Amino acid sequence: MSDSIIGAGPKRIDGQRKVTGEAPYAADHHPDNMAYGYGIFSTIARGTVTGLELDAARQSPGVIDIFHHGHFPELHRSPASMPQGNKVEETRLPFEDNHVHYEGQFVALVVADTFENARAAARKVVVSYQADDNAIANLDQGVKAHGTKKGGDNHERGDAAGSFDGAAHSIDVTYTTPVETHNPMEMHASVASWEGDRLTIYESSQGVVQQRGALSKIFGIPQEHIRVESPFIGSGFGSKLWMWPHAVAASAAARETGRPVQLVVPREQMFTTTGHRPETRQRMRLATDDSGRLVSLRHESINTTSFTDQYVETCGSVTKSLYSCPNLLVSHETTQVNRGTPTSMRAPGAAPGLFALESAIDEMAHEAGVDPLEFRLNNYADRDESQDLDFSSNHIREATQKAAEQFGWHDRNPEIGSMREGHEIIGYGMAACNWEAIKRECEARVSLRADGTAHVTCATQDIGTGTYTIVAQTVSDITGLPLEKITVRLGDTSYPAGPVSGGSWTTATTLPAVAAATREAIEELKGYATSKKGDFADVDSDSLTFENGQLTHDGQGVDYVDVLKGQRLASADGHAHTQGADDRYSYRSFGAHFVEVRWDPGISNLRVSRVVSAIDVGRVINSMTARNQVEGAIVMGLGMAHFEATDYDARNARPVNNNYAEYVVPVHADQPPEVDVILLDYPDLEFNEFGARGIGEIGITGMAAAVANAVYHATGKRIRDLPIFKEKLMENVPEVQSA
């Protein structure tokens, strides 16, 4: 494989369409005679709807219909199975009954001729409730724990409890993380239209194939009668992996009214009805021997879930394999609260889990009297002890050492609060980062066309990460065609089936299928060239090579366009179906973050001034977009550490900051002046032919812990409850007690 384009950093091929406004997002589609929906959402968190006053709304200008529990078609639930291809997170259908399980739940939908008329009418709807005063607002109030999740990410080996007792050094600490809300720039939106029993829906979706399958089950029609399109997405961070109730409501309303319906979820309800990262509490018990080697590790977590569905935040998914420890226990439990169903948010499980694990590792290192860097280097696992498998590729020690050297860790004075510059106290912190590498089944189609272009289709999505560009790079690498000659089409279920765009598996999954389809197209082209009418009629097709757009034999080259035009053929086409990863190895990505914070106690100002991250994700396909992914994840990790938390009123479980003014995220002024990303670039050829693993998630994992550890170094205060508001640094936070 040539290195001229794979590993280079070409600009995004879809960039111009985006910055000029040409790229169509879900709500940009306006079919003829389109109507507009506007939701009415519950204003209580628990209870029942006892009545709806609709007369004033019905008389409002432009109103077409108003849907609710007493006026909505009978639909079916989706099995919500990812293997079946119909995964949803909230299985309850909109308006299924009159029960309210969380504030912000759909209770009615107005459809009108304009958005303004729909909104005006919706505000005239009066909903009566029988509120239940026993709304569950948070994890501490949660009831009916579902119990430990069986199998999967639970794990036990050795005797963690027995080895903890009597160990030379031990800690027993608890960490908490709050609800976080995804808040992508583009709001969730659906534009649904029917022609007979055929549904077309434009959706802001990270998984068009899964949504098609779910809609098929819900409406009881064949998948072939459904087309889901999502060519451009204004990000999702996991909130758009699976379909939410608004898409079902829009589709049903469109069928009932006989005209297309657009439904956009308001920003406030994106905090309630389209998922979130759940609240977690994680108890960490670690112990070492005299030399600082781990002898016991227990990671027991519990997270909030809804009353309609169970969602498990697998906080211990990384713990079971990142460090070598003979005695280990990982368990997960859930407790129900009156909130909407949680869902995956960038690095689900690992992001909150590594906050706890890497904070605890830092505390354990201090308790054992070992430098945190040295402690990690001594305890990193050389193989996956949870599966008894070798890693396919693991360069975490090199990543950690390179980042430490560039950061200047060895200049660190370990004494708390000892490093100063002017009014600011400087703190250094570090943490490992880790994420699983996954490869799914995928199909792709590639067409080499007689006009000298290539055309690629796959029903995966580009959520802003650069998938369009790396798919084009793959075809360019094999064919020699320049990127401007390659058209890529994604995000449409009429294309060959592709994966959801999540879990950092899009690159590893999609590129092998695209490469195989490209080679199939070349083989078809060779067949044409060696046919009786071809330019190489007397040549064995296996002896032909294809480079730079030409078929070549014994020094004689013929442009593939001439091969096609010579036989009046439109194209040579290839279709490929590739499989997921095998189980010969444990496939994971690795890395380390080093963070410098500065704390000015005089004005109570805390800031992150410097970050160095070294990441081992296999081969880097596009150096520009890869670096951009890590940098963006770092910023999101800083948001997790310092700012982000969705708050609920403990009296009634109502969200109190479900807007973009009071839910605080990092802005430009919060960015560290220095962010250095080191990409190790070791191809993992056991994983796939490109040696590429995913890169979207790993950058956020461990970042909050690195910040918290730096804060401890600067202030001597261990903040175990995110986010790290500066108010917490002005409080008297007790130190950890040895177990």
Side-chain angles (χ1 to χ4, degrees):
M1 225 175 258
S2 169
D3 290 330
S4 60
I5 191 70
I6 297 295
K11 295 180 180 178
R12 298 168 187 257
I13 64 171
D14 55 330
Q16 183 172 344
R17 297 188 69 191
K18 288 182 174 180
V19 299
T20 58
E22 182 186 347
Y25 293 83
D28 294 330
H29 295 276
H30 297 87
D32 292 339
N33 201 34
M34 185 178 78
Y36 295 80
Y38 198 90
I40 294 99
F41 302 92
S42 64
T43 56
I44 65 169
R46 184 184 181 110
T48 56
V49 176
T50 58
L52 292 163
E53 296 180 23
L54 303 175
D55 289 345
R58 285 181 175 138
Q59 295 169 14
S60 193
V63 171
I64 299 167
D65 209 338
I66 303 175
F67 297 98
H68 49 84
H69 171 54
H71 175 51
F72 197 68
E74 184 175 343
L75 302 174
H76 312 280
R77 285 191 174 190
S78 172
S81 167
M82 187 173 174
Q84 290 181 18
N86 51 47
K87 170 73 172 172
V88 295
E89 209 76 88
E90 184 169 322
T91 55
R92 181 186 179 276
L93 297 167
F95 322 131
E96 183 178 270
D97 52 39
N98 65 343
H99 296 291
V100 174
H101 301 282
Y102 57 91
E103 179 175 307
Q105 177 184 307
F106 271 96
V107 295
L109 176 70
V110 173
V111 179
D113 59 347
T114 68
F115 171 80
E116 291 78 10
N117 283 341
R119 181 176 60 182
R123 291 174 175 173
K124 296 177 182 179
V125 173
V126 179
V127 184
S128 300
Y129 301 96
Q130 178 64 52
D132 186 332
D133 294 334
N134 297 312
I136 308 301
N138 54 51
L139 191 149
D140 290 331
Q141 299 175 353
V143 297
K144 193 183 175 183
H146 285 272
T148 301
K149 184 187 179 191
K150 304 299 181 184
D153 288 292
N154 282 356
H155 179 72
E156 185 172 3
R157 61 179 182 262
D159 180 6
S163 57
F164 183 86
D165 298 331
H169 307 285
S170 60
I171 61 168
D172 183 347
V173 287
T174 298
Y175 303 89
T176 68
T177 63
V179 168
E180 292 179 76
T181 305
H182 304 76
N183 274 315
M185 183 181 298
E186 179 201 20
M187 294 185 289
H188 288 252
S190 303
V191 178
S193 62
W194 292 80
E195 291 187 14
D197 65 346
R198 294 181 177 272
L199 168 64
T200 297
I201 182 167
Y202 298 99
E203 182 73 31
S204 186
S205 172
Q206 295 177 239
V208 295
V209 173
Q210 291 282 335
Q211 179 161 341
R212 177 184 63 181
L215 288 169
S216 172
K217 293 292 187 181
I218 290 168
F219 285 93
I221 59 177
Q223 290 193 24
E224 296 75 20
H225 289 192
I226 301 171
R227 184 177 182 181
V228 183
E229 297 186 58
S230 188
F232 294 96
I233 308 167
S235 193
F237 305 123
S239 68
K240 299 174 182 176
L241 283 170
W242 323 116
M243 181 176 67
W244 294 99
H246 68 274
V248 180
S251 299
R255 189 171 68 174
E256 295 300 302
T257 60
R259 57 195 292 183
V261 170
Q262 180 190 99
L263 179 57
V264 178
V265 179
R267 179 66 67 179
E268 285 188 357
Q269 275 65 52
M270 285 176 59
F271 284 78
T272 63
T273 189
T274 59
H276 57 269
R277 196 196 300 278
E279 182 182 358
T280 76
R281 182 193 297 127
Q282 304 172 62
R283 184 180 182 185
M284 306 294 302
R285 284 178 279 186
L286 284 69
T288 70
D289 60 18
D290 284 325
S291 65
R293 293 277 185 166
L294 286 168
V295 296
S296 178
L297 200 169
R298 279 178 284 180
H299 188 168
E300 298 158 291
S301 68
I302 183 169
N303 69 263
T304 52
T305 191
S306 69
F307 276 94
T308 61
D309 302 274
Q310 185 185 18
Y311 174 85
V312 179
E313 187 78 6
T314 53
C315 296
S317 58
V318 170
T319 304
K320 60 187 181 181
S321 61
L322 181 56
Y323 292 99
S324 177
C325 185
N327 306 290
L328 183 143
L329 171 70
V330 167
S331 68
H332 303 89
E333 294 185 355
T334 62
T335 187
Q336 292 174 309
V337 295
N338 288 111
R339 299 174 188 157
T341 302
T343 193
S344 299
M345 185 171 175
R346 197 174 197 167
L354 270 172
F355 164 65
L357 175 63
E358 285 302 293
S359 295
I361 286 289
D362 210 69
E363 296 201 47
M364 188 71 258
H366 283 279
E367 181 66 22
V370 181
D371 178 88
L373 170 61
E374 181 184 349
F375 187 90
R376 288 175 173 83
L377 292 173
N378 290 340
N379 283 283
Y380 283 144
D382 293 319
R383 63 194 313 271
D384 187 339
E385 296 173 5
S386 69
Q387 300 184 72
D388 193 23
L389 289 173
D390 290 331
F391 292 114
S392 59
S393 178
N394 180 354
H395 298 274
I396 191 170
R397 285 188 173 83
E398 181 181 345
T400 303
Q401 290 166 332
K402 281 191 171 182
E405 181 179 354
Q406 181 152 329
F407 182 80
W409 179 266
H410 297 293
D411 296 329
R412 167 182 177 268
N413 185 333
E415 184 178 344
I416 301 298
S418 61
M419 299 173 63
R420 294 174 177 263
E421 185 174 17
H423 296 291
E424 294 181 314
I425 305 171
I426 300 170
Y428 282 5
M430 67 161 297
C433 50
N434 192 233
W435 182 248
E436 59 189 339
I438 299 175
K439 178 176 177 283
R440 303 286 188 185
E441 286 187 65
C442 185
E443 297 181 51
R445 184 178 296 116
V446 173
S447 177
L448 300 175
R449 297 184 168 180
D451 62 1
T453 65
H455 191 269
V456 191
T457 53
C458 178
T460 190
Q461 306 73 209
D462 188 330
I463 59 175
T465 54
T467 305
Y468 277 109
T469 304
I470 62 173
V471 167
Q473 286 179 253
T474 301
V475 176
S476 176
D477 184 65
I478 295 171
T479 64
L481 294 177
L483 294 181
E484 59 268 21
K485 292 282 189 178
I486 301 168
T487 299
V488 181
R489 295 283 183 257
L490 306 173
D492 187 333
T493 54
S494 68
Y495 302 153
V500 299
S501 296
S504 296
W505 62 56
T506 306
T507 297
T509 298
T510 305
L511 297 197
V514 171
T518 304
R519 295 188 185 104
E520 285 293 320
I522 292 172
E523 288 303 311
E524 185 171 289
L525 184 70
K526 288 180 179 180
Y528 296 147
T530 56
S531 68
K532 291 182 179 180
K533 298 179 181 180
D535 296 271
F536 299 100
D538 298 324
V539 174
D540 186 333
S541 63
D542 290 340
S543 67
L544 294 178
T545 59
F546 190 92
E547 293 180 357
N548 299 319
Q550 288 191 332
L551 285 173
T552 304
H553 177 71
D554 287 343
Q556 177 189 356
V558 178
D559 195 287
Y560 87 88
V561 171
D562 295 330
V563 173
L564 294 172
K565 287 184 175 179
Q567 299 182 47
R568 301 192 66 176
L569 297 172
S571 62
D573 304 296
H575 184 283
H577 181 176
T578 51
Q579 300 299 316
D582 57 41
D583 56 2
R584 295 176 301 129
Y585 295 94
S586 174
Y587 302 102
R588 303 195 70 85
S589 291
F590 302 88
H593 297 302
F594 287 77
V595 168
E596 176 186 288
V597 301
R598 292 182 174 236
W599 166 245
D600 187 338
I603 58 173
S604 298
N605 185 56
L606 177 68
R607 65 188 180 96
V608 175
S609 52
R610 193 159 57 96
V611 176
V612 176
S613 299
I615 309 294
D616 169 28
V617 291
R619 190 178 197 180
V620 173
I621 303 299
N622 184 304
S623 59
M624 180 184 295
T625 58
R627 193 173 303 277
N628 174 254
Q629 281 293 291
V630 177
E631 291 169 345
I634 288 170
V635 172
M636 201 167 181
L638 296 180
M640 180 181 185
H642 279 310
F643 304 109
E644 296 188 48
T646 303
D647 298 319
Y648 298 83
D649 191 324
R651 299 167 298 176
N652 52 32
R654 299 181 65 177
V656 297
N657 65 333
N658 55 328
N659 57 73
Y660 227 169
E662 295 170 288
Y663 182 90
V664 183
V665 298
V667 296
H668 286 295
D670 300 308
Q671 310 306 308
E674 299 178 42
V675 176
D676 293 322
V677 175
I678 304 167
L679 300 174
L680 265 58
D681 203 20
Y682 286 108
D684 186 352
L685 298 176
E686 300 292 349
F687 190 48
N688 58 55
E689 65 174 285
F690 291 88
R693 301 191 296 266
I695 200 169
E697 251 99 353
I698 190 170
I700 192 175
T701 70
M703 178 53 61
V707 173
N709 295 336
V711 167
Y712 171 74
H713 181 227
T715 68
K717 295 184 177 182
R718 285 284 184 192
I719 307 301
R720 303 188 185 97
D721 306 301
L722 291 181
I724 307 171
F725 292 144
K726 61 185 179 182
E727 288 84 355
K728 296 178 181 179
L729 300 181
M730 295 184 279
E731 299 171 354
N732 183 22
V733 180
E735 286 304 303
V736 62
Q737 299 298 314
S738 299

